[in-house]
Amino acid sequence: MERVQMAEDLSFSRIIHGLWRLADWNYSDKEVIGLIEHCLELGITTFDHADIYGSYTCEALFGKALQQKPELRDRMEIVTKCGIVLESPNRPDNKSHHYNTSKKHIISSAEMSLRHLQTEYIDTLLIHRPDPFMDPAEVAEAFTQLKTSGKVKHFGVSNFKSHQFTMLQSYLDFELITNQIELSAYHLENFADGTLNLCQEKRIPPMAWSPLAGGKIFSGDNEKSERLKNTITKIAEEIGASDIDEVLYAWLLNHPARIMPIVGSGKKERIERAVEALKHYLNRDQWFEILQSSMGHDIP
C-alpha cells in the first residue's frame, strides 16, 4: 500500500477506512476485529473516527474490539474529530445542535475519545467543522496542551475553506497536517473554490470524505448522475476496472494533490475495490472527460 507522509513522524495509508457507520453494521466484537485485520492485511492502516459518529457510540465500539487485541493499535493510525455537539440520549447534557470549539470542549472531547478508543494517544485530531463562534486562540491553547501532554500527536481540520484554514493556522506554533473535505467526481466545490489548491500550496495531503458521492452516481436518479454513470462505465471498460467505484476512487487518486479517499464501507469486497483502484491509471483525456461530464459542459 502506498504511504503518504503527513509529518516527520507520521504517515497515513493512501486509502483510509472510515467508521462513521460502524454502529449501523451491528457487528460483533469479533467481526469488528476481523474487519480491522482485513484492512491491515490490505495495507489500510489509517482509521477515521469522530466523537459524534453513531450518536457518540462508534469510537467505543472500535475501542472495545481493540481492547481484546491491543497489539493491533501499534499497526494503525487513528484519526478522530470533535467540535460538533448533537442532541443525543448518549449525551443528555447536550441541549441543542451547535458547534463548540472552546478549549474546555476540545480537551474534554479528546480525553473522552481516548477512553472510548482504548488508546493512550490519538495520532491526529481534527476540528470537525468550521465554527462561526470560534476563538482561534482558545483552539490553539487546547491543541498545544494536548500535544504537550502527548495525548494527541498531530492536528488538522475538516470541511474548512481556505480562509478558515489559514486563519486557524496563524494562531498555531506547529503545522496543521490535513484538511478532510468532500471530494468526488460528483461534488466539485472544493476543486473549484481554492480549497484543494491551498492544500497543494501548503503541501498538505487532504482526506476525501464521500468519495463515491454517497451512492448518487450508482443510482443515476438525476441527469447529472446518469451522465456521470455512463461516462465512468465507459472508462471502466477502457482501463479494465471491475466496477465504476474503482474509477471514482482512481479519479481522486490520480490527482496530484495526494488525495486520500475515505472508504466508509463495512463490506470487505467494497474495501478491496478501493485498494484495487490504486492500480488504475487515468490519462488526461479520461480524467477531464469525467470532470466535464460532472460539470455538464466543456471546460472554458
Side-chain angles (χ1 to χ4, degrees), residues 218-237:
F218 298 91
S219 64
D221 59 1
N222 60 55
E223 182 182 346
K224 180 177 179 179
S225 296
E226 189 66 30
R227 191 172 61 236
L228 263 172
K229 185 177 181 180
N230 290 337
T231 299
I232 292 168
T233 298
K234 179 180 76 70
I235 292 175
E237 294 176 0

Side-chain angles (χ1 to χ4, degrees), residues 62-81:
F62 191 87
K64 188 180 177 186
L66 275 187
Q67 189 178 32
Q68 296 186 34
K69 292 199 75 171
E71 64 271 20
L72 294 176
R73 178 63 181 98
D74 293 335
R75 299 171 58 192
M76 66 175 64
E77 305 83 42
I78 292 178
V79 179
T80 195
K81 299 178 283 292

Side-chain angles (χ1 to χ4, degrees), residues 5 18 58 66 68 87 94 121 124 135 145 160 164 180 207 213 239:
Q5 201 67 35
C58 290
L66 275 187
Q68 296 186 34
E87 293 180 78
N94 293 356
Y121 66 94
T124 306
D135 180 345
Q145 182 172 320
F160 273 49
Q164 296 161 334
Q180 184 178 127
M207 303 168 69
I239 67 174

